[in-house]
Amino acid sequence: MNIDNIVSDVDQLFNKLNSDLGLITDIITQPQNSIPGLWNMVEGIFNCILPIGYSLLALFFMLDLFNKTITFRVARIENIIKILIRVILAKVIMKSSFELLNFVYQSISDVISLVYSSPGTIQTIVDIEVLKTQLENMKMMELIMFQIKLMPMNFIMLIVKIIIQVICYGRIIEIYIYTALSPLPLSTMPNEEHNNIAKRFIQHYISVCLQGLIILIACMSFTGIANTIVASAGSENAELGMIGTITSSVVLLYTLSQSKNWAKQIVGVY
């Protein structure tokens, strides 16, 4: 039974959480063009979709104009000017949507980086030297039992890390799809009857970007909970609050699964 290996496992499990947070932050704040091959594909799809968006823009404009004409709502010159201004503004927004969406993404990424660098980050949860001394004083059977108790924690944390990365990369793909197809929903802006589609699209895009912030806060909360549980367990028994840590890991998984819904609720999308 190698005590150094056990100590290394505990150190990796608890004291490396901040490095894991740094990795998560890097994933959710990386520039959109950090994956050149995928970003070039997104840009190419956007350029193909944009002419279709212009055609839909003209169609929705004509439908809105026709609807107001037959109801005599465009009889006044100011109403006609208002419609034309709305169409021109919609065209400008559609043409610049690639840059505008990237600006929204980058702004929220800056907020995420600011939250990650906020003071109060926990650096060390388990005192490795104290733990090593405790393990050296244990009998062989006690060491075996300790390692057996440690195994489910290692397994659950491995699952948590995999799920976090899957959610983070899935979020990136979702943002790419929103960006590539943005001209289609934005083409409804001139039409008073259907422009809520464009509004909901913008809300959904912001919610997807905001999901990264919720993921980071959830993971930061987990490090604080883990620190509290280990401290409550006491350093004299080397138990490390295993049951509490496993429970908090399950709670973290639930929080991550709800992060998208919570982000939608924050921006008012239900």
Side-chain angles (χ1 to χ4, degrees):
M1 186 65 65
N2 193 321
I3 293 178
D4 289 334
N5 289 340
I6 298 176
V7 171
S8 177
D9 288 343
V10 173
D11 187 45
Q12 183 68 34
L13 182 63
F14 289 100
N15 295 341
K16 303 299 182 183
L17 290 177
N18 282 328
S19 63
D20 293 334
L21 278 177
L23 175 62
I24 294 169
T25 304
D26 290 340
I27 294 175
I28 59 182
T29 60
Q30 63 182 357
Q32 290 185 311
N33 58 2
S34 59
I35 310 177
L38 186 56
W39 185 245
N40 291 337
M41 182 188 70
V42 169
E43 191 171 6
I45 294 173
F46 175 87
N47 291 328
C48 292
I49 294 293
L50 188 58
I52 301 175
Y54 286 152
S55 300
L56 290 174
L57 179 71
L59 176 61
F60 280 113
F61 163 70
M62 293 301 298
L63 288 174
D64 191 53
L65 184 62
F66 178 75
N67 182 50
K68 291 181 178 179
T69 301
I70 62 176
T71 56
F72 302 100
R73 284 186 288 171
V74 292
R76 302 174 62 181
I77 185 64
E78 57 265 28
N79 291 335
I80 298 176
I81 295 175
K82 181 179 178 181
I83 294 173
L84 292 176
I85 290 176
R86 191 161 61 240
V87 171
I88 294 172
L89 183 61
K91 183 181 183 297
V92 171
I93 292 176
M94 282 182 59
K95 186 176 181 180
S96 307
S97 59
F98 203 80
E99 292 77 14
L100 291 174
L101 293 180
N102 189 37
F103 174 77
V104 172
Y105 171 84
Q106 194 57 52
S107 298
I108 296 180
S109 295
D110 291 341
V111 174
I112 294 173
S113 300
L114 186 62
V115 170
Y116 172 69
S117 60
S118 60
T121 306
I122 299 169
Q123 297 297 331
T124 302
I125 295 178
V126 177
D127 190 327
I128 296 302
E129 294 301 323
V130 172
L131 176 63
K132 187 174 182 179
T133 301
Q134 294 170 3
L135 295 177
E136 290 173 347
N137 294 329
M138 288 182 179
K139 298 178 181 179
M140 179 62 67
M141 187 57 63
E142 291 175 329
L143 285 174
I144 293 175
M145 292 303 298
F146 180 85
Q147 193 163 29
I148 290 175
K149 291 179 180 179
L150 198 61
M151 288 174 60
M153 297 174 64
N154 280 322
F155 177 74
I156 290 177
M157 286 305 300
L158 176 62
I159 296 299
V160 169
K161 291 176 182 178
I162 292 175
I163 291 177
I164 290 175
Q165 292 195 29
V166 169
I167 292 175
C168 289
Y169 281 113
R171 167 182 170 271
I172 292 174
I173 297 298
E174 188 172 3
I175 287 174
Y176 283 170
I177 293 173
Y178 272 51
T179 303
L181 303 180
S182 59
L184 299 181
L186 293 177
S187 65
T188 63
M189 284 187 292
N191 191 291
E192 290 186 355
E193 185 177 353
H194 299 97
N195 61 11
N196 59 327
I197 296 176
K199 295 176 182 177
R200 285 201 302 268
F201 167 78
I202 296 172
Q203 287 178 302
H204 276 287
Y205 183 83
I206 294 175
S207 73
V208 176
C209 294
L210 198 61
Q211 183 187 6
L213 179 59
I214 295 177
I215 292 172
L216 178 63
I217 293 176
C219 294
M220 292 177 68
S221 300
F222 174 76
T223 61
I225 292 173
N227 180 67
T228 302
I229 290 173
V230 172
S232 300
S235 58
E236 69 280 352
N237 54 16
E239 285 297 323
L240 303 177
M242 293 181 180
I243 300 299
T245 303
I246 292 175
T247 302
S248 61
S249 299
V250 175
V251 173
L252 175 60
L253 287 177
Y254 170 76
T255 303
L256 294 173
S257 68
Q258 294 296 313
S259 60
K260 188 172 184 177
N261 291 333
W262 293 348
K264 288 181 178 179
Q265 292 175 5
I266 290 174
V267 299
V269 180
Y270 301 101

